[in-house]
Amino acid sequence: MKKWSVVLCAMVLALGCAGCKAESKAPVETAKTEAAKTEAAKESAQTGGGDQAETAAELAYPEQDITVIVPFSAGGNADLSMRALCTAANEGGFFNGRTLVVENVAGGGAVIGQTQAFEAPKDGYTLMLYTSSVINNDIFNETTYRYNDFLPIAGYNPDPEVIFCPKDAPYNTLQEFYDWAAGQEVVLAATPGHTTGHHIRLMNMGEDHNINFDYIHTDGAADQLLQVMGGHVDVSMNTIGATKSAYEDGNIKILAVAAEERVQGLEEVPTFLELGESLVDGADRGICVAKGVDDAIYQYLVEEFKKVIETEAFKKNMATINGMGMYKSPEQYQAYMDNTYNSIKDILPKLEAEAAN
């Protein structure tokens, strides 16, 4: 079984220059270190945090509505997933009846919204949708924050990757695509942007299967779909959330899904694992708060969001947007953050070479 150099996905990121880091940024901490910090924060909250023996209730938190920054424009998959989560919380009366207010702060490949969340008062009233764009911006852009300057509260929306192609493509299975691609000098592939996770996974596929991809980088998933549906490219990769509607309408073919088992609603589509590829990957959206928040408030957020994510109301909200609602603990989500960072750093030479062409 061939092993891919699996890189967890990046939904949105700017076309920054790799390696142009601000020297003032601190060294990257390992997944083990970050997980230990998260666990220490939880233990501190449970034991009163040493001299700070206040609970969230004693802190009278929350006393006002809580802002959740989505660093993208309204209407995309990430935005819709966060609105599904906040709606379930608001309608369920969580957070002492206070309202979670989604604020879209788009621009700069998500840097503007992420910066606003990072620089907000550390009082627990500003949270943020976390995607791997935080990690990509840390690597490729000059930012005031590091990817691990945010504390993960929970993961809530895994969105498995799929490989898809035009409806009239001369292949109907993944193996048929590989066989067809082997006879082509160039295979055109659409991405939602240079250095997105989808682009990186196609690069890995090209290397593992000796496919000479020529990439058409678009401005996002909507444009990427248009390239595929119009027959302008041969293949593409994105998530189920970004492609399921087009698939159900018969506008594209999905050849395989990068999940551990077949996905509800796509039962006829095999997994990469079934087809001999060790690929389980996709978008993994979470909610976070900038470091510096009081331990008791952080622990309250962790516990309250876990309750929301595990409600049937949230799962039903996610189903309406072709999404999956699933809880991931702070430790699990921190591991995802660290693994994604390290994987992208490992493939930087390839990305720089492809960008230079």
Side-chain angles (χ1 to χ4, degrees):
M1 182 188 305
K2 287 194 176 182
K3 292 205 171 209
W4 288 28
S5 304
V6 177
V7 181
L8 296 171
C9 79
M11 293 300 296
V12 181
L13 61 100
L15 303 181
C17 171
C20 53
K21 302 284 296 167
E23 293 185 359
S24 60
K25 292 185 176 181
V28 177
E29 296 173 288
T30 65
K32 183 176 179 180
T33 301
E34 281 302 310
K37 282 191 172 185
T38 303
E39 185 61 30
K42 293 175 69 176
E43 291 178 0
S44 179
Q46 292 167 348
T47 59
D51 295 333
Q52 193 171 16
E54 295 175 298
T55 66
E58 291 169 337
L59 290 169
Y61 174 86
E63 292 185 308
Q64 64 191 53
D65 293 344
I66 299 171
T67 297
V68 182
I69 291 178
V70 172
F72 313 113
S73 300
N77 289 329
D79 173 66
L80 292 175
S81 72
M82 181 53 72
R83 290 179 185 276
L85 179 61
C86 291
T87 296
N90 295 339
E91 293 182 350
F94 293 89
F95 299 96
N96 295 335
R98 302 297 179 180
T99 301
L100 300 182
V101 180
V102 174
E103 180 181 350
N104 295 95
V105 185
V111 170
I112 294 175
Q114 290 161 6
T115 300
Q116 182 171 316
F118 174 66
E119 295 180 349
K122 307 300 187 286
D123 54 10
Y125 288 103
T126 302
L127 312 180
M128 188 184 77
L129 164 68
Y130 196 106
T131 72
S132 55
S133 63
V134 181
I135 298 164
N136 298 328
N137 284 328
D138 177 2
I139 293 173
F140 295 106
N141 293 302
E142 293 288 348
T143 60
T144 59
Y145 55 85
R146 296 301 306 270
Y147 83 94
N148 53 5
D149 280 332
F150 296 93
L151 282 173
I153 296 170
Y156 70 91
N157 177 213
D159 195 355
E161 188 86 3
V162 298
I163 179 169
F164 62 105
C165 62
K167 62 182 180 180
D168 57 354
Y171 31 84
N172 296 303
T173 68
L174 184 63
Q175 188 58 54
E176 286 179 1
F177 167 68
Y178 289 153
D179 293 342
W180 175 86
Q184 307 301 310
E185 290 186 10
V186 174
V187 176
L188 294 179
T191 82
H194 187 273
T195 61
T196 56
H198 313 296
H199 173 210
I200 292 168
R201 272 184 290 281
L202 283 164
M203 292 179 68
N204 289 332
M205 176 182 283
E207 182 174 279
D208 288 346
H209 295 277
N210 297 314
I211 301 171
N212 183 24
F213 281 123
D214 189 6
Y215 301 102
I216 307 299
H217 299 302
T218 69
D219 292 329
D223 290 340
Q224 178 188 16
L225 270 172
L226 290 175
Q227 289 287 328
V228 176
M229 290 189 294
H232 306 302
V233 296
D234 302 309
V235 73
S236 191
M237 295 187 80
N238 208 306
T239 63
I240 289 176
T243 58
K244 189 177 180 183
S245 293
Y247 172 73
E248 291 175 335
D249 292 340
N251 293 321
I252 62 172
K253 292 188 286 192
I254 295 180
L255 306 180
V257 57
E260 292 184 354
E261 57 187 33
R262 296 200 182 197
V263 175
Q264 184 177 359
L266 294 175
E267 289 87 355
E268 68 281 9
V269 179
T271 67
F272 280 90
L273 292 177
E274 292 176 67
L275 302 174
E277 303 277 1
S278 58
L279 178 63
V280 177
D281 205 352
D284 203 338
R285 302 177 183 110
I287 188 162
C288 68
V289 63
K291 287 182 177 178
V293 68
D294 184 273
D295 287 346
I297 291 176
Y298 173 66
Q299 180 63 18
Y300 175 87
L301 290 167
V302 168
E303 293 174 355
E304 201 76 347
F305 271 106
K306 183 177 188 294
K307 296 175 188 175
V308 178
I309 294 166
E310 292 179 342
T311 63
E312 287 302 315
F314 170 61
K315 294 174 184 177
K316 289 180 180 177
N317 289 348
M318 290 300 299
T320 64
I321 60 170
N322 293 324
M324 181 189 305
M326 183 182 296
Y327 176 72
K328 183 170 285 189
S329 71
E331 295 81 7
Q332 290 172 318
Y333 201 77
Q334 184 68 57
Y336 155 74
M337 293 160 59
D338 293 322
N339 291 338
T340 301
Y341 180 92
N342 292 328
S343 296
I344 295 175
K345 291 289 284 186
D346 288 344
I347 204 172
L348 270 178
K350 292 182 185 178
L351 292 169
E352 291 172 343
E354 199 273 327
N357 291 334

